[in-house]
């Protein structure tokens, strides 16, 4: 055999090294793609997307993406609740293992490793853009993220979340990166924007899905502009679905039927062009192990999910006994039985007081319960569910909820989630009602809650009564009934229900606050102070409760003690709040100095005394002081102050009459015309407000331009924009300098696109230089 020549060996070695380098580059590319983009679709049913068979949905972006990705036709979530489901996405664990079972009253603990933490340790830049308070950073999913953008009120629409994400992509994203974008739009209440609201063939729910779809398109375009789309893993997955009355339930959380468990899930691998539909059973717990497998990163621990890499890349099937699901929501809010499910590719078993078994192939709508006909299948699946729960460290008890701040509670309620405070434990052995039998009472509760929000307290009390007649130990209904009775000024009845609630859920701060409010109505102030302190113990120094305690002290005549409470609030970090609570403290100290029995000796002090008393709702005391002051002070001043008291008391006719008398008696002060106009607006008479303010601009000194500014606001309301611009310029000429307010005041919104309004803003520097 002829030996190799040196040149040949050199070329061969070069070729070998080139191949090795190429292989290394390919391996590195496989390990670290340009990006990993996770898009989670809150409350999105799979069957309401066109790519999953919907005939009414308009989802062109998701449909196009499905044609480029592997679409999983049989994907399910672990729990029909946002925070627990996302915790499963981010940890690869089921709720019994990661410990998050409900929204708001649980937090993902630091000892659980998240996908973001693992990727961050492997040199990925990590960012998340969140669309609802329920995933706020305080609930633990921010672990591992360099940026966790949850800057919002309760929620924000897809278009805003997308804009934040795009700004990060175009200005901050460094490869490799992990980007999570969460969309909340299909969640109730449904207020779809145009043009989606008008164009949808389906419901408002479908229109919000269409709006979300369009924003995903904008996100994809931004990725393409940076050449990040083709080379990235892109995963789109729902967290849970929506009941839409398929099994009576309108929303989600109570049941484990397919309308809430079956979710959309699609996966695009970097640059593969791979696309097909897969019918194998997969779940949200599979996302983390699959990504780690693609990146050759070891799993942090034993995960509940499995890697889908072989299924996605090669169509390889894998054996799966089943997937776990739960909902403890009925128990935490109503003391109804929790539900647990074991889902296989063909069957679903639901553990409940009245257990359920469904053949999902023959009965996809889950209408025919086969428990009686299929006892062996029930036994087999029930055993698999039991074994899984035992293997994941669960037992047959329901985990206790954690304490929750009342402000958080209010925000969750506003998003449609209910919370009634730390639960007692229960087990399957307890005789708890089946949610299937009780769900109609939830509909009554929902109506009661809506009535309460819209201040129809009598109707709310009637609806809560229906729930409580059937279910007297419902924690959420006892609380709702008690709070509605407080609002209806029926304190004795309120105390009965609120104390009953505390027997069920000891230590609930909202119930203690309601008890204190009822005791104030009964003028049992000493007891009220104790109840406020009990509420505040659960909230640290909750602003709302301390303020109420301060007002109770005022009603007791303990003005100095009230001032001390306001000064506690003045320690808040916000300068605006500091100023607000300092003013309240000053009012309380004013009354501590002068009391409410005799008028203050000097005119300016008397004015402060009257207004302070009215601010604290001591209207009768203020009126009595005014009556005693006749002959000591000018009648025009007394009329002005009487107007202020009646305005604060909400007696608009009396206030208007008093202000007219004050002007007739010669009071031409700036505050008279501003307050008189405010009363006219309260009486829904902007034309009268305009007349008052125009008179004020002619007759009253306006050293800081406040009368002209208020006139501009009223003229804008009336659609008289050129006159409003003229009034704003006059306000600035008279010394008005709050340009931030010009840009933020709601009444001036119609002016902001006008060039002459922009001209006014350009005067800012000149005014500051005066």
């Amino acid at each position: 055999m002829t030996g190799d020549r040196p040149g040949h060996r050199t070329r061969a070695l070069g070729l070998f090294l080139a191949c090795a380098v190429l292989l290394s580059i390919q391996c590195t590319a496989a390990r670290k793609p340009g990006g990993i983009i996770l898009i989670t679709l809150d409350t999105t049913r799979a069957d309401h997307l066109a790519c999953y068979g919907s005939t009414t949905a308009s989802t062109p972006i998701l449909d196009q993406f499905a044609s480029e990705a592997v679409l999983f036709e049989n994907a399910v979530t672990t729990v029909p609740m946002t925070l627990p489901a996302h915790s499963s996405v981010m940890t690869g664990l089921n709720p019994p293992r990661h410990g998050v079972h409900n929204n708001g009253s649980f937090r993902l603990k630091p000892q659980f490793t998240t996908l973001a933490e693992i990727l961050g340790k492997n040199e990925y830049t990590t960012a998340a853009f969140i669309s609802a308070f329920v995933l706020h950073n305080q609930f633990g999913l921010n672990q591992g993220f360099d940026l966790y953008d949850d800057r919002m009120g309760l929620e924000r629409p897809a278009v805003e979340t997308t804009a934040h994400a795009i700004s990060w992509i175009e200005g901050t994203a460094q490869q490799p990166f992990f980007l999570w974008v969460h969309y909340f739009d299909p969640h109730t209440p449904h207020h779809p924007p145009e043009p989606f609201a008008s164009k949808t063939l389906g419901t408002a729910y479908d229109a919000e899905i269409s709006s979300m779809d369009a924003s995903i398109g904008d996100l994809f375009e931004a990725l393409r502009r940076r050449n990040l789309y083709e080379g990235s893993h892109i995963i789109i997955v729902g967290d849970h679905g929506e009941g839409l009355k398929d099994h009576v339930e309108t929303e989600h959380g109570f049941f484990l039927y397919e309308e809430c468990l079956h979710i959309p899930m699609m996966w695009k691998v970097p640059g593969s062009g791979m696309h097909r539909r897969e019918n194998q059973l997969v779940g949200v717990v599979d996302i983390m192990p699959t990504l780690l497998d693609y990146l050759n990163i070891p799993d942090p621990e034993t995960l509940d999910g499995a890697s889908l890499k072989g299924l996605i890349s090669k169509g390889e099937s894998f054996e799966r006994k089943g997937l776990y699901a739960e909902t403890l929501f009925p128990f935490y809010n109503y003391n109804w039985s929790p539900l647990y499910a074991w889902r296989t590719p063909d069957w679903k078993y639901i553990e409940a007081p009245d257990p359920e078994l469904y053949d999902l192939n023959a009965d996809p709508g889950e209408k025919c319960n086969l428990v009686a006909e299929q006892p062996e299948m029930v036994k087999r699946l029930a055993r698999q569910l039991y074994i899984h729960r035992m293997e994941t460290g669960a037992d047959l008890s329901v985990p206790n909820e954690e304490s929750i701040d009342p402000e958080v509670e209010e925000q969750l309620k506003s998003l449609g989630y209910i919370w009634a405070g730390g639960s007692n434990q229960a087990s399957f052995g307890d005789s708890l009602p089946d949610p299937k039998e009780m769900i109609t009472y939830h509909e009554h509760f929902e109506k009661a809650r809506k009535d309460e929000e819209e201040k129809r307290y009598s109707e709310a009390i009637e609806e809560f009564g229906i729930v409580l007649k059937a279910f007297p130990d419902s924690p959420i209904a006892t609380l709702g009934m008690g709070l509605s009775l407080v609002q209806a000024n029926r304190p004795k009845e309120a105390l009965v229900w609120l104390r009953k609630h505390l027997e069920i859920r000891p230590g609930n701060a909202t119930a203690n606050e309601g008890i204190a409010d009822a005791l104030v109505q009964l003028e049992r102030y000493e007891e009220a102070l104790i109840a406020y302190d009990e509420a505040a113990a659960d909230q640290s120094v909750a602003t709302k409760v301390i303020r109420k305690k301060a007002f109770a002290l005022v009603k007791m005549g303990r003005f100095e003690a009230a001032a001390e409470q306001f000064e506690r609030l003045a320690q808040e970090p916000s300068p605006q709040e500091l100023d607000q609570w300092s003013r309240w403290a000053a009012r309380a100290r004013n009354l501590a100095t002068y009391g409410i029995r005799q008028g203050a000796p000097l005119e300016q002090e008397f004015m402060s005394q009257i207004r302070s008393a009215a601010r604290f709702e001591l209207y009768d005391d203020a009126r009595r002081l005014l009556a005693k002051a006749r002959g000591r002070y000018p009648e025009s001043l007394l009329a002005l102050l009487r107007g202020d008291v009646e305005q604060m008391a909400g007696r608009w006719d009396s206030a208007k009459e008093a202000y007219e008398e004050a002007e007739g008696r010669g009071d031409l002060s700036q505050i008279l015309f501003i307050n008189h106009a405010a009363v006219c607006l309260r009486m829904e008479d902007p034309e009268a407000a305009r007349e008052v303010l125009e008179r004020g601009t002619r007759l009253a000194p306006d050293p800081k331009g406040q009368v002209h500014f208020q006139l501009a606001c009223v003229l804008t309301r009336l659609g008289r924009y050129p006159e409003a611009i003229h009034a704003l310029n006059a306000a600035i000429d008279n010394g008005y300098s709050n340009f931030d307010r010009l840009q933020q005041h709601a009444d001036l919104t119609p002016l902001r696109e006008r060039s002459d309004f922009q001209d006014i803003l350009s005067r800012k520097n000149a005014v500051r230089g005066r």
Side-chain angles (χ1 to χ4, degrees), residues 264-322:
M265 182 167 158
M266 296 174 268
W267 195 305
K268 187 189 80 63
V269 175
S272 67
M274 188 184 305
H275 60 87
R276 66 177 182 281
R277 306 175 83 88
E278 285 289 350
N279 194 42
Q280 190 147 341
L281 178 64
V282 301
V284 296
V285 289
D286 298 330
I287 290 172
M288 179 168 169
T290 303
L291 265 173
L292 297 183
D293 194 3
Y294 266 111
L295 302 175
N296 296 317
I297 299 174
D299 292 344
E301 56 186 293
T302 301
L303 301 181
D304 292 321
S307 173
L308 307 178
K309 180 181 177 183
L311 176 63
I312 294 171
S313 297
K314 302 176 184 178
E316 295 175 352
S317 62
F318 63 97
E319 184 178 351
R320 166 165 265 159
K321 289 183 179 179

Side-chain angles (χ1 to χ4, degrees), residues 13 120 227 485 619:
L13 179 60
N227 296 317
L485 286 164
Y619 305 123

